Amino acid sequence: IWTVSKLAENLLEHLGAAATESLSGIKPGHFNSFILEQRRRGYATMTVKLDIKLLRALGKAIAKETGVDAAAELQLEQESYEARAAYTEAEVRQLLAHLQSLGEEEWQTLVLIIIYTGLRPGDAVRMRHGDFDLEKGLLKVRPGKTSRYSDGKPESKPLHRVLWQHLQALAEKQPHTPASRRPGATPQWR
């Protein structure tokens, strides 16, 4: 729903005065230039592909009224994707050292959570103190993007030793946090 409403908002803005005129005023060039504008705005390739699919449906609806399919010329471009690779241990150390030099403890924690749990950044940002059980060495995960495929209940995952040690050090510095009920606790690693 958000994608469709954002697409509509961006399209109306792009069309300007043409958006308030009759449907026959919407031409293929409008949609083509809109897709170029979406790319310039920095939207991801998959988002632009979804926009094209939605515009095709809109173009067919406009064609029923006007006889001109404004989206007929839109093509799904084959983009070359750069292969993603995991960060090396040296790259991770370099990133963490840079964040530490900036005094960015929260960012260090976020990076460690993402790296050592494999969570999506959005899921990691939504973590709360109560999601970490340092006594048992567990993390309560509530996946956001895949929750529609699961029963919506949080899952417990073991904490990696490096992440646990970092969180334990934070808990000892801030003893009022729920995760630090027993600062000296040591989980059983498996």
Side-chain angles (χ1 to χ4, degrees):
I1 294 173
W2 178 87
T3 303
V4 174
S5 64
K6 190 64 178 169
L7 170 69
E9 179 184 319
N10 289 346
L11 180 60
L12 290 173
E13 178 185 320
H14 179 77
L15 291 174
T20 60
E21 297 171 9
S22 82
L23 291 177
S24 61
I26 298 177
K27 305 291 183 212
H30 287 112
F31 282 3
N32 290 332
S33 62
F34 173 70
I35 290 300
L36 290 174
E37 178 65 25
Q38 290 291 81
R39 289 196 184 282
R40 277 194 293 272
R41 288 180 176 178
Y43 283 97
T45 301
M46 294 307 293
T47 301
V48 173
K49 284 184 177 186
L50 179 59
D51 289 350
I52 290 171
K53 289 177 183 179
L54 293 169
L55 288 173
R56 283 181 175 168
L58 179 60
K60 289 183 190 328
I62 292 172
K64 287 180 183 178
E65 297 287 323
T66 66
V68 177
D69 185 350
E73 297 175 12
L74 290 177
Q75 297 294 319
L76 289 175
E77 297 176 21
Q78 293 297 324
E79 291 270 335
S80 60
Y81 291 96
E82 288 184 31
R84 293 182 180 179
Y87 288 108
T88 65
E89 193 174 328
E91 290 171 328
V92 170
R93 278 196 305 267
Q94 183 180 10
L95 174 59
L96 292 171
H98 178 69
L99 291 171
Q100 186 174 18
S101 74
L102 298 173
E104 295 289 348
E105 196 170 75
E106 287 181 11
W107 281 102
Q108 283 179 290
T109 303
L110 182 62
V111 167
L112 287 169
I113 290 170
I114 292 168
I115 289 170
Y116 287 112
T117 65
L119 289 174
R120 291 180 172 90
D123 292 336
V125 168
R126 284 190 294 276
M127 302 294 304
R128 295 177 244 149
H129 285 287
D131 293 333
F132 300 95
D133 185 340
L134 297 182
E135 188 174 322
K136 294 179 183 175
L138 296 174
L139 168 67
K140 201 182 306 178
V141 178
R142 292 177 189 81
K145 190 170 186 174
T146 58
S147 62
R148 63 181 167 211
Y149 303 114
S150 66
D151 59 8
K153 295 179 182 171
E155 300 176 22
S156 289
K157 305 283 184 189
L159 287 171
H160 186 277
R161 181 183 305 270
V162 173
L163 177 58
W164 179 83
Q165 289 170 340
H166 176 80
L167 294 172
Q168 187 69 22
L170 287 177
E172 289 172 2
K173 278 196 242 177
Q174 302 169 355
H176 63 281
T177 61
S180 62
R181 285 181 291 236
R182 288 189 42 212
T186 303
Q188 297 297 316
W189 301 109
R190 294 182 184 152

